[in-house]
Amino acid sequence: MTFRTATCRCGQLRATCTGDPVRVSVCHCLACQKRTGSAFAVQARWPKANVELSGEFREWTRTTDSGSLAIYHFCPHCGATVAFFGAGMPDVTAIPVGAFADPSFPPPRFSVYEERKHAWVAILGDDIEHMD
Ligand SMILES: [Zn+2]
Ligand SMILES: [Zn+2]
């Protein structure tokens, strides 16, 4: 069984994930750009039961474009988000791929919100599904 650990920047908030992610995606939406401070986000999803969170966190909730709620768990010391959840998908935990700091992490299969994609960004790969 594969185990991977994501941490915040200071390291006190951790997510230990069991098994491979069920979905890895890139998102170009403006909310993800704001969350990451980057031009796009990469996140991996696991069944909630496969993710164990430890450490101190604060929670922030926002309403998405579709009107559902997204809940973010972030470190109160360094500010990094380590896990987030969609109220419409209560059994799934999403983890920012950068929090694993692992360049060998499985690549994305989906690139979503491409209508918001910066023109210079290209998500490459044979198996990638591109969606607006
Ligand atoms: Zn931290
Ligand atoms: Zn997004």
Side-chain angles (χ1 to χ4, degrees), residues 27-33 41 43 62 112-113:
C27 184
H28 306 275
C29 87
L30 301 182
C32 283
Q33 293 187 28
Q43 53 280 319
R62 78 176 183 91
V112 306
Y113 269 98

Side-chain angles (χ1 to χ4, degrees), residues 67-125:
S68 66
L69 296 178
I71 302 145
Y72 301 84
H73 286 188
F74 63 94
C75 173
H77 303 286
C78 72
T81 297
V82 169
F84 54 101
F85 313 89
M89 292 189 294
D91 299 330
V92 175
T93 299
I95 312 279
V97 167
F100 294 95
D102 173 12
S104 70
F105 197 88
R109 295 285 313 279
F110 302 90
S111 174
V112 306
Y113 269 98
E114 288 206 334
E115 61 193 356
R116 308 273 164 84
K117 185 172 75 60
H118 287 237
W120 52 266
V121 170
I123 307 298
L124 304 176

Side-chain angles (χ1 to χ4, degrees), residues 19-88:
D20 281 323
V22 293
R23 178 184 170 106
V24 182
S25 60
V26 170
C27 184
H28 306 275
C29 87
L30 301 182
C32 283
Q33 293 187 28
K34 284 277 192 182
R35 175 173 61 78
T36 59
S38 184
F40 59 90
V42 195
Q43 53 280 319
R45 291 179 168 78
W46 275 267
K48 201 169 197 172
N50 291 27
V51 178
E52 192 180 331
L53 284 173
S54 63
E56 189 189 349
F57 65 86
R58 297 271 192 283
E59 202 173 285
W60 180 66
T61 301
R62 78 176 183 91
T63 304
T64 67
D65 290 354
S66 61
S68 66
L69 296 178
I71 302 145
Y72 301 84
H73 286 188
F74 63 94
C75 173
H77 303 286
C78 72
T81 297
V82 169
F84 54 101
F85 313 89

Side-chain angles (χ1 to χ4, degrees), residues 8-12 75 78:
C8 65
R9 293 170 75 195
C10 77
Q12 71 83 24
C75 173
C78 72

